[in-house]
Amino acid sequence: MTQDFSPAELAQHLETLESRLAYQEHWLDTLDQAVAQQERRLEKLEQISALMRERLREQHQALQSSDSQGLGRPEDEVPPHY
């Protein structure tokens, strides 16, 4: 099924397609920037998470070593007046 378009109609269709393409390119660029920004934020959050895991591991090890050396936790100690 073919339609015969006048030159003016063809020009209008072409202009419409070009406008849509420009709009889509704009939004692709916008989305690309958003994805890049999210990627940078994710990398920072992963670094923070790794640092927090390491600090937690260090604290856990410090607690274990103080327990193994006979040092109790402060809340487990009996005050001197008992």
Side-chain angles (χ1 to χ4, degrees), residues 1-65:
M1 176 179 357
T2 61
Q3 287 184 322
D4 291 327
F5 292 106
S6 70
E9 290 172 325
L10 284 175
Q12 179 63 39
H13 283 291
L14 181 60
E15 187 177 316
T16 300
L17 290 173
E18 288 174 341
S19 177
R20 286 181 181 177
L21 180 61
Y23 181 76
Q24 288 176 352
E25 286 176 345
H26 165 74
W27 281 107
L28 276 175
D29 289 342
T30 301
L31 289 172
D32 186 47
Q33 290 172 6
V35 167
Q37 181 183 19
Q38 291 294 324
E39 187 174 340
R40 288 189 298 272
R41 291 180 69 193
L42 181 60
E43 287 174 1
K44 286 180 185 179
L45 288 171
E46 286 173 340
Q47 290 173 350
I48 290 169
S49 177
L51 180 61
M52 291 176 72
R53 280 193 309 271
E54 181 60 30
R55 296 260 170 96
L56 208 71
R57 189 178 305 116
E58 290 170 359
Q59 288 179 352
H60 184 71
Q61 289 173 350
L63 267 176
Q64 283 182 334
S65 71

